[in-house]
DNA sequence: GTGAAAGCGCTAACAG
DNA sequence: CTGTTAGCGCTTTCAC
């Protein structure tokens, strides 16, 4: 098996210097069209591909971004990464993914991120201040999701949860005239037991507002178990608008977070920062929109 | 702002040669413990991190794997990548993700994968024979998911769909004694219209076996629309066991594909191949298990 | 338009 | 145990 061809192999084959080969592959004008064509021709013949490692070292950049998420699963991550990947691809960038509930300077993998990437998106639940501070001091481009880092002049992307929650609550109050609305929040499987407790109350709520759709699903299951019909006897609304929300029985009223959009915007913001490191601090919000379906008590939509 | 410290900076600060610094960072025994400790100490003081690009170039490896998926979204991808990431992390490897419905040698991003990674997992729907053949010829480690590549001695990972489908069908026939079972297959939103057509038949099926859970959800929605109760009037079963399957009303009977496991195994197989390039061709199957719930007509489980 | 040569930061013989 | 030195494959001035 022959050695993998390098720039030298190709240069020799084409009867040119390695500088010329380099020019042929990088959109340089300082090369004759016919020369480039010939080099590219031979390159594909012998199966030459420039080494990314060598290029990275020479150029001092990796054309790679890292995405750190608390848990690599669930619809949130899924949509986010889809958006993020579409943009990295557009810019000929690459995307590394990591799962880490809290970003910590102790994590060996996170430590090496700055040497492997040109920027980091931190979507973790917790994020050690030390770690962020280290990145900041190094002048390394990063973006923390959903949280404003105290005392640091950084940019930040977060969904406009307040507006979404406000509009949904107003909907419950104004349109359905519910007086007793319970709000439940917690880990993604806790909706069932929370709703159970609420349903066992003598003074039952008329509506349950769950902090996320998974909890809302759990709440609906609990209601069914208690022989309580949704939405006739109890309204249940969620938050996130996961893909299956619309297929549930009843279809779930919830708040859409434009997660794909968040992925897109995160990457765009980060790429901006990479090009222009000294951008002013700023909070960018992504829109949240009401998805009125059946579980709140509304008719077919 | 001072320059980013390199191995030279650190060597000078510590009063040693760069070779010694290198040894301190790579588990080499040919270095005194005290020396290593001192170097590591100074390193963290000045914030030195070895350059991955330089390391990659020198070592001729990237410690990175690529995962190419048809669509970066949906529960399948989500679970798979979670499994994959857990193993890459375990081996101090990194994971790049790409979305591409068909892997083609024309795709510029896919072209450069061999220069950026040590191995590729191809989970695409279609995969150009030329592309695979090129990888094969280069002796580049790769793994095609769910499909045996004709004429090429490669290893392959696929779920044991046959057994899963067989067992589920037997369950419908043997336990529930259904005589008329319809099978529907197609894109993930097509379950609704397919089921509609079946329900409009004068000779309605007793059960619908959907090729995936999303279609099953659509089928259930169509049944509801027609005033047809599931499972009393019509049994509906799916395939995949997506996370929400158990929360549906009725809870969906389906086949679990151990997707997390597939992610884990893919990475493990690929890493094996990287270490030992000439492994014999072989088809590795991951288990499929029946998830009997309510939608097939069974009682509470 | 093209070539020669220095340099990117690290690893790995080899010598001591 | 530690230092010297030659690469790894590419980009980029600087000559010509």
């Amino acid at each position: 098996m022959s050695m993998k061809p390098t720039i030298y192999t190709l240069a020799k084959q084409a009867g040119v210097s390695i500088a010329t080969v380099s020019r042929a592959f990088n959109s340089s004008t300082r090369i004759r069209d016919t020369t480039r064509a010939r080099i590219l021709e031979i390159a594909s013949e012998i199966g030459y591909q420039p080494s990314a490692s060598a290029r990275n070292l020479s150029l001092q950049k990796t054309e790679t971004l890292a995405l750190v998420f608390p848990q690599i699963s669930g619809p949130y991550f899924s949509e986010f990464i889809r958006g993020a990947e579409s943009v990295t691809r557009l810019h000929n960038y690459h995307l590394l993914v990591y799962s880490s509930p809290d970003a910590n300077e102790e994590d060996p993998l996170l430590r090496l991120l700055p040497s492997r990437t040109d920027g980091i998106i931190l979507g973790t639940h917790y994020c050690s201040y030390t770690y962020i501070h280290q990145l900041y001091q190094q002048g390394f481009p990063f973006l923390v999701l959903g949280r404003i880092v105290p005392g640091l002049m950084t940019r930040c992307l977060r969904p406009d949860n307040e507006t979404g929650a406000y509009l949904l609550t107003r909907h419950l109050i104004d349109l359905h005239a519910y007086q007793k609305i319970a709000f439940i929040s917690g880990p993604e499987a806790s909706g069932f037991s929370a709703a159970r407790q609420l349903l066992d109350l003598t003074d039952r709520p008329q509506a349950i507002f769950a902090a996320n759709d998974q909890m809302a699903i759990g709440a609906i299951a609990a209601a069914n178990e208690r022989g309580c019909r949704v939405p006739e006897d109890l309204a249940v609304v969620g938050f996130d608008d996961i893909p299956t929300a619309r297929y549930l029985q009843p279809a779930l009223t919830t708040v859409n977070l434009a997660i794909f959009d968040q992925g897109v915007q995160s990457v765009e913001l980060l790429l901006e920062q990479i090009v222009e490191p000294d951008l002013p601090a700023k909070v960018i919000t992504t829109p949240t929109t009401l998805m009125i379906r059946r579980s709140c008590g509304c008719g077919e939509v």
Side-chain angles (χ1 to χ4, degrees), chain A residues 15 22 43 46 50 54-55 64 77 90 120 132 151 163 180 198 201 203 207 214 217 240 246 248 258-259 263 268:
Chain A
S22 177
I46 66 175
R55 227 182 107 81
T64 303
F77 169 75
L90 206 63
I120 307 180
I132 295 197
T163 300
K180 292 175 287 187
L198 287 168
L201 257 36
D203 190 25
Q214 290 295 345
I217 291 173
D240 284 352
R246 70 174 64 210
L248 295 172
I259 301 172
E268 281 177 349

Side-chain angles (χ1 to χ4, degrees), chain A residues 128-195:
Chain A
S128 117
Y129 187 73
T130 318
Y131 182 63
I132 295 197
H133 205 75
Q134 279 175 8
L135 294 177
Y136 188 75
Q137 276 198 151
Q138 292 169 28
F140 190 83
F142 69 97
L143 184 69
V144 180
L145 256 38
R147 206 160 348 113
I148 297 155
V149 186
L152 242 43
M153 299 296 282
T154 61
R155 300 201 298 170
C156 155
L157 184 78
R158 63 187 301 279
D160 187 3
N161 293 327
E162 292 75 14
T163 300
Y166 175 78
L167 291 178
L168 182 48
T169 311
R170 280 249 73 92
H171 176 84
L172 294 177
I173 296 174
D174 295 346
L175 201 97
H176 295 287
Y178 297 132
Q179 309 267 340
K180 292 175 287 187
I181 303 173
F183 177 76
I184 58 177
S185 166
E188 301 218 323
S190 61
F192 188 83
S193 58

Side-chain angles (χ1 to χ4, degrees), chain A residues 21-264:
Chain A
V21 173
S22 177
R23 292 196 187 96
F25 275 86
N26 300 284
S27 34
S28 162
T29 50
R30 307 169 68 81
I31 183 174
R32 197 182 301 161
D33 279 353
T34 56
T35 315
R36 161 173 289 147
R38 187 162 48 88
I39 291 175
L40 260 30
E41 166 73 19
I42 299 177
S44 85
E45 261 173 40
I46 66 175
Y48 166 79
Q49 282 295 116
S51 149
S53 303
R55 227 182 107 81
N56 290 345
L57 177 58
S58 186
L59 252 32
Q60 299 280 63
K61 62 174 186 175
T62 61
E63 297 183 322
T64 303
L65 261 34
L67 176 58
V68 187
F69 246 68
Q71 48 181 356
I72 289 199
S73 79
Y76 200 101
F77 169 75
S78 210
E79 270 296 289
F80 189 98
I81 196 178
R82 195 163 67 85
E85 199 265 359
S86 72
V87 185
T88 50
R89 162 176 294 262
L90 206 63
H91 292 263
N92 290 313
Y93 257 69
H94 304 257
L95 192 62
L96 285 169
V97 296
Y98 301 88
S99 163
S100 182
D102 69 316
N104 197 293
E105 69 280 3
E106 304 295 326
D107 187 326
L109 274 185
L110 293 189
R111 281 186 105 97
L112 355 134
L113 248 37
S115 94
R116 301 193 79 91
T117 66
D118 299 340
I120 307 180
I121 298 171
L122 288 166
T124 50
H125 283 320
Y126 309 101
C127 200
S128 117
Y129 187 73
T130 318
Y131 182 63
I132 295 197
H133 205 75
Q134 279 175 8
L135 294 177
Y136 188 75
Q137 276 198 151
Q138 292 169 28
F140 190 83
F142 69 97
L143 184 69
V144 180
L145 256 38
R147 206 160 348 113
I148 297 155
V149 186
L152 242 43
M153 299 296 282
T154 61
R155 300 201 298 170
C156 155
L157 184 78
R158 63 187 301 279
D160 187 3
N161 293 327
E162 292 75 14
T163 300
Y166 175 78
L167 291 178
L168 182 48
T169 311
R170 280 249 73 92
H171 176 84
L172 294 177
I173 296 174
D174 295 346
L175 201 97
H176 295 287
Y178 297 132
Q179 309 267 340
K180 292 175 287 187
I181 303 173
F183 177 76
I184 58 177
S185 166
E188 301 218 323
S190 61
F192 188 83
S193 58
R196 238 189 196 163
Q197 293 179 43
L198 287 168
L199 292 169
D200 287 344
L201 257 36
T202 48
D203 190 25
R204 279 192 180 179
Q206 298 166 293
I208 294 183
F209 185 153
N212 58 64
D213 288 351
Q214 290 295 345
M215 286 191 74
I217 291 173
I220 291 176
N224 283 321
E225 186 211 40
R226 286 287 190 266
C228 171
R229 291 167 307 161
V230 177
E232 291 80 359
D233 306 329
L234 174 76
V236 175
V237 300
F239 207 89
D240 284 352
D241 193 25
I242 62 174
T244 43
R246 70 174 64 210
Y247 296 112
L248 295 172
Q249 294 300 329
L252 189 67
T253 290
T254 184
V255 176
N256 183 285
L257 297 185
I259 301 172
F260 181 91
D261 226 57
Q262 288 180 46
V264 168

